[in-house]
Structures are given as structure tokens and as C-alpha cells.
Amino acid sequence: MNRGPLTMNRLTTWLAVILLCSTSLWADAVVNSVEKIHYTQAQIRDLGFEIAHELRCPMSVNQNLFDSGAPIASELKGQIFLMLEQGESKQAIIDFLVQRYGEKIRYQPSLSMATAALWFGPILLLFGIIGFAALLIREQRKHQDTNGNTYE
């Protein structure tokens, strides 16, 4: 009689292990089965050129990948077109290149704490200049008013 509950516990344990393993395998299959995009040759060309225009060449100063003649630019353009032929999305390609070369490869860096000064710095500088100019004008008017009253 003692064997009955013990066998039931073993059966329950095995069923739980099988259920966990099958759930884990199913979850891995779902995560790894990201749908690949099927592009036409014209779409690959247009999207490849678009991505190459948006990214900066790591070797050339102030040139995008499309315009750069550096060997690394040719390699990266080839990588972009290869990834497009493999069905990768534009964002996946850009994320791959940013991970590989850093945020500096983008002409427009994403908004983060590290790049907040790039995004908001010019606006804050403009407001600072306007505020400083307003204070100078106000002080000059006060000075003119006080000088004007002493001569009367």
C-alpha cells in the first residue's frame, strides 16, 4: 500500500518535468522562428541605399557609407545587402551595426542619457543666448533711464 502514493508522486514528478521541457522547447522555437522578410531585388537595392545613406562611415570624416570610398564602407555595404538578402529588417541591420561600431555610426543618434546633450544642447544654448541678450538689453535700458534722469 505504501507503493501506491510513492508511484503517484513519481508519475506526477515525471509529468511535471516533461511539461516543463516541452514548454521550454516550444518557447525557444517561438523566439527563434522570427519571420524573415522576402524582398524583391528592387526593394533590396532601395533599402540598402537608404540604410547606407543613414549610417556614417567609420573611417571617412563626415561621409556616409554610400558616399565613402573607404574599404570598410564597401565591406559594410556588402554586409547590409547580404543581411537584406537573408531577410533581415532595416532596424535589425542598423541595430547590428550600432552594436558592432557603436552609436557614432548613426548620423542621428538615439535618445539616451549619453546623447541627451546632443539632442537638447542646441535648444538650451539658444534659450541661454536669448535670455542673456534680454538681460543685457534690460540693463542698458535701466542705465539709460538713470542717466537720462540725472541731467534733467
Side-chain angles (χ1 to χ4, degrees):
M1 265 174 68
N2 283 342
R3 276 180 83 107
L6 186 59
T7 306
M8 201 61 160
N9 283 342
R10 285 185 184 166
L11 180 63
T12 307
T13 304
W14 280 108
L15 285 174
V17 168
I18 291 170
L19 180 65
L20 285 173
C21 288
S22 64
T23 305
S24 175
L25 290 174
W26 179 78
D28 287 343
V30 168
V31 168
N32 291 330
S33 69
V34 175
E35 289 292 320
K36 297 294 181 182
I37 303 167
H38 299 286
Y39 298 110
T40 65
Q41 287 301 317
Q43 288 173 324
I44 289 174
R45 182 193 67 233
D46 294 342
L47 199 53
F49 289 161
E50 184 179 322
I51 294 170
H53 279 290
E54 289 180 17
L55 297 177
R56 185 186 315 266
C57 177
M59 294 299 291
S60 300
V61 177
N62 234 3
Q63 280 189 327
N64 59 27
L65 288 176
F66 186 79
D67 295 331
S68 176
I72 188 74
S74 298
E75 180 184 323
L76 291 177
K77 287 183 274 190
Q79 180 71 37
I80 290 169
F81 284 107
L82 178 68
M83 291 178 80
L84 285 171
E85 288 174 0
Q86 293 173 348
E88 297 291 334
S89 68
K90 176 182 175 180
Q91 191 59 48
I93 294 169
I94 291 174
D95 290 343
F96 170 76
L97 292 173
V98 166
Q99 181 183 13
R100 189 170 175 191
Y101 291 98
E103 196 67 34
K104 66 181 179 180
I105 200 166
R106 293 182 192 232
Y107 267 115
Q108 290 188 335
S110 61
L111 181 60
S112 67
M113 289 303 290
T115 61
L118 293 173
W119 284 99
F120 300 115
I123 295 170
L124 293 175
L125 184 63
L126 178 66
F127 286 147
I129 291 170
I130 291 171
F132 184 71
L135 284 174
L136 281 178
I137 292 170
R138 191 167 144 197
E139 288 298 318
Q140 281 183 344
R141 285 187 180 163
K142 280 184 184 178
H143 186 67
Q144 287 175 353
D145 288 344
T146 56
N147 285 342
N149 289 339
T150 56
Y151 291 118
E152 290 179 2

